[in-house]
Amino acid sequence: MATEHLATLWHWAPTLGMGLLQNIQMSVGAIGLGTLLGLLVGLLLLSPLAPVRALARLWVQVFRNAPWLVLIYFTSYVFPFDIQVGSTWVAFPDWLKVTVGLALPASANVAEIFRGAVASIPATQWEAARSLAFSRGQILRSIILPQCLRRMLPPWMNLYAVVTMGTALASLVGVHDLIDSAQIAANTVNRSGFTVLVYFSVLALFFAYCYPIARLTQRLERRYAF
Amino acid sequence: MPSEPLIQLRDVHLAFADNPVLRGIDLDVHKGQAVSIIGPSGSGKSTILRCLTGLLRPQLGSIRIGQTQVDQLRGEAELIALRKQVGFVFQQYNLFPHLSVLENLLIAPTKVLGRNRNEAREQALALLDKVRLGHKAAAFPGELSGGQQQRVAIARALAMRPELILFDEVTSALDPEMVGEVLAVIRELTEEGMTCVLVTHEMRFAEEISDQVYFTEHGRIVEHGSAAQIFGDPVHERTRTFLQHALGQGGQRPSRPAPDVYRNLGRYSLSV
């Protein structure tokens, strides 16, 4: 009985594997896009211009305080299926919409991580640099940001793990990710024992991907604790 | 001595919200002079230095350094031009912790003044030798003692080749053992003719190296004069009592033998 289920699982393994790759693709895309956007928004949070700061703060507040699932539905149904670029139509597949949907809250969180890291650098560093005739931009680039990057790394990795877990939501808008593949496998085989086994496998696969990230984060946190 | 002072403050007023900190400061520093500002905590000494380098802006009065009217400066570019001339050494050293000692000395001359890196490097190493830390060029600030960090901070200010240096209670955060090594570096600078303005609680040191001493209290200059006059024959009663406490005279504690008696105890006991 058990070996029979294991054999069936082996049969479904390539499908599940492809599903996991889809999750990894979305998580890497979302954290990459979210980081770029987030750093940009984070820089705008530090702008000397009040209206720019207000816009950036609005971005952070909106996307940090919206449920991720809502944002995923939002991007899935607001964006068109394809986009016209010049004379050709470029497909805008569901997994990409989910990636954008996850990148939005990720960017808001990265912006906050960035702002927090900058704020954690003592004001005396600014003073010291200013008294050495650095300009504001130079202080940010040469003095503050290099000190921020190490402080940002652990919370950023933490966010990466959370975003990866968030990709599990993609199955709800029809992306063939790991959860969706598991569902299909469970429904097709239609044996309760196999259903239990396949979801345990899903759990194990997510854990195998996220746990190393969490461990690495812990190590970095110890290393960069001042 | 030239008649035109390098630094001139006239009737400088500054308040934080409703709290007046400076209430009419007049101060002159001539080129090559060492001037000490002494006084009780909260009397506005550090605030004067911060005004000089444009970190704070007075509400009233005039501050002139060389040809620059500091209180009139508008915009970052003008402040940068001023700060290239004025070095500042902080109580808490404020070295850049992510850079090595050598990089701490290189970053401003290369990035701000656009100096050639090799040339700046040679100068930085010479400055580190000068503050007796040539062997620590590759170390990071976190690996140094407080006294060593403060000497690096002085070298960092010198690397900009400023016209004058402001020292803001640079020994207050140090263990007593490390105070001497930092003061020795400052003494050397004053002897070389660097214009120095010091806020300090080291009265003996101020007396020894200063050309002029200003005594401040409650945001005003109570009196100023030569070191010999202020420490030897202060005019104001307030200066007199402050110096008595600061120099540890007139206390209730029984007087102890001078420190050198302890140091030379071996010699005395030999004769017994």
Side-chain angles (χ1 to χ4, degrees):
Chain A
M1 178 90 164
T3 47
E4 187 194 330
H5 284 330
L6 282 174
T8 318
L9 184 67
W10 182 248
H11 172 73
W12 282 93
T15 312
L16 294 175
M18 289 307 288
L20 180 64
L21 278 182
Q22 184 67 263
N23 285 90
I24 293 174
Q25 187 181 27
M26 286 187 293
S27 70
V28 171
I31 195 75
L33 187 63
T35 303
L36 286 179
L37 264 175
L39 290 178
L40 185 73
V41 174
L43 278 174
L44 296 181
L45 281 173
L46 302 175
S47 163
L49 302 170
V52 176
R53 275 203 310 273
L55 270 179
R57 252 203 311 274
L58 185 69
W59 177 282
V60 170
Q61 290 308 322
V62 166
F63 290 120
R64 240 165 68 104
N65 294 310
W68 290 23
L69 185 55
V70 173
L71 289 172
I72 287 172
Y73 274 120
F74 174 80
T75 50
S76 294
Y77 297 117
V78 167
F79 291 149
F81 295 106
D82 39 23
I83 304 165
Q84 194 174 13
V85 180
S87 58
T88 56
W89 289 86
V90 179
F92 198 8
D94 282 333
W95 70 265
L96 200 55
K97 292 179 182 178
V98 171
T99 303
V100 174
L102 288 171
L104 292 176
S107 76
N109 282 288
V110 168
E112 271 301 280
I113 291 171
F114 177 79
R115 194 192 56 77
V118 170
S120 77
I121 306 295
T124 50
Q125 288 285 305
W126 286 87
E127 268 193 350
R130 242 182 284 154
S131 74
L132 285 167
F134 281 94
S135 70
R136 188 183 154 81
Q138 284 174 324
I139 299 175
L140 261 179
R141 277 196 307 278
S142 306
I143 309 298
I144 305 297
L145 293 189
Q147 296 186 55
C148 284
L149 289 182
R150 347 166 110 193
R151 295 185 188 204
M152 282 178 67
L153 201 55
W156 181 85
M157 303 261 296
N158 193 29
L159 180 68
Y160 181 37
V162 174
V163 166
T164 302
M165 292 186 266
T167 59
L169 296 169
S171 62
L172 294 171
V173 291
V175 176
H176 293 301
D177 75 331
L178 180 56
I179 310 282
D180 194 55
S181 308
Q183 245 161 5
I184 292 169
N187 289 343
T188 310
V189 175
N190 200 16
R191 301 271 298 273
S192 59
F194 179 75
T195 302
V196 170
L197 182 63
V198 85
Y199 279 110
F200 263 113
S201 315
V202 168
L203 194 62
L205 284 171
F206 265 110
F207 184 79
Y209 184 46
C210 290
Y211 183 67
I213 301 176
R215 281 306 295 266
L216 191 57
T217 309
Q218 277 181 353
R219 271 186 49 191
L220 289 172
E221 269 174 355
R222 268 201 297 274
R223 188 143 144 225
Y224 291 134
F226 282 104
Chain B
M1 186 168 291
S3 55
E4 180 83 330
L6 178 64
I7 305 174
Q8 191 169 51
L9 276 72
R10 285 293 173 267
D11 197 31
V12 170
H13 288 256
L14 184 140
F16 294 126
D18 293 335
N19 185 19
V21 180
L22 302 182
R23 302 197 272 190
I25 297 287
D26 293 334
L27 189 142
D28 289 314
V29 179
H30 288 270
K31 193 163 175 53
Q33 269 189 335
V35 170
S36 296
I37 305 173
I38 60 171
S41 297
S43 62
K45 308 184 294 294
S46 296
T47 308
I48 297 175
L49 293 194
R50 270 151 207 275
C51 287
L52 282 177
T53 188
L55 287 172
L56 290 173
R57 183 186 293 277
Q59 278 100 17
L60 210 73
S62 127
I63 302 176
R64 184 183 57 72
I65 297 181
Q67 302 303 314
T68 311
Q69 202 62 43
V70 178
D71 54 295
Q72 303 290 319
L73 293 183
R74 293 283 176 273
E76 197 179 38
E78 293 183 358
L79 282 169
I80 285 174
L82 167 75
R83 288 168 185 157
K84 286 177 183 171
Q85 314 295 322
V86 183
F88 202 109
V89 184
F90 296 86
Q91 182 179 349
Q92 294 290 347
Y93 343 125
N94 299 352
L95 296 178
F96 304 129
H98 62 300
L99 299 176
S100 71
V101 165
L102 183 64
E103 286 298 328
N104 262 281
L105 268 65
L106 284 180
I107 188 162
T110 53
K111 295 219 163 160
V112 175
L113 304 178
R115 228 177 261 165
N116 173 290
R117 202 179 152 81
N118 286 328
E119 191 190 309
R121 197 185 141 84
E122 260 172 49
Q123 187 210 350
L125 290 172
L127 283 172
L128 285 177
D129 280 338
K130 185 186 171 75
V131 298
R132 289 173 279 285
L133 285 170
H135 58 295
K136 292 288 188 188
F140 280 81
E143 301 162 2
L144 303 181
S145 74
Q148 290 173 329
Q149 289 194 52
Q150 193 58 290
R151 284 184 280 154
V152 173
I154 294 172
R156 181 176 70 173
L158 287 171
M160 294 289 280
R161 295 188 193 142
E163 277 198 43
L164 70 142
I165 301 196
L166 313 176
F167 295 91
D168 187 9
E169 297 192 26
V170 291
T171 57
S172 299
L174 297 178
D175 288 341
E177 291 174 341
M178 297 169 183
V179 170
E181 64 192 47
V182 172
L183 294 186
V185 169
I186 300 174
R187 183 181 296 120
E188 245 178 77
L189 288 179
T190 59
E191 282 164 6
E192 288 165 13
M194 171 64 82
T195 312
C196 297
V197 182
L198 303 105
V199 165
T200 184
H201 290 296
E202 298 287 332
M203 295 304 151
R204 293 290 181 209
F205 181 69
E207 180 177 8
E208 178 198 339
I209 63 140
S210 305
D211 299 301
Q212 285 279 311
V213 177
Y214 284 76
F215 176 68
T216 62
E217 191 177 47
H218 300 312
R220 289 199 183 88
I221 305 287
V222 176
E223 73 173 291
H224 70 98
S226 70
Q229 186 251 306
I230 294 287
F231 286 96
D233 185 25
V235 175
H236 281 260
E237 183 53 34
R238 183 63 192 105
T239 317
R240 203 182 300 268
T241 50
F242 174 78
L243 287 175
Q244 262 172 17
H245 286 114
L247 293 169
Q249 295 164 353
Q252 280 80 29
R253 260 168 264 136
S255 62
R256 290 179 296 182
D260 52 344
V261 174
Y262 283 127
R263 202 177 302 142
N264 299 329
L265 215 55
R267 216 178 289 159
Y268 288 95
S269 47
L270 263 184
S271 61
V272 174

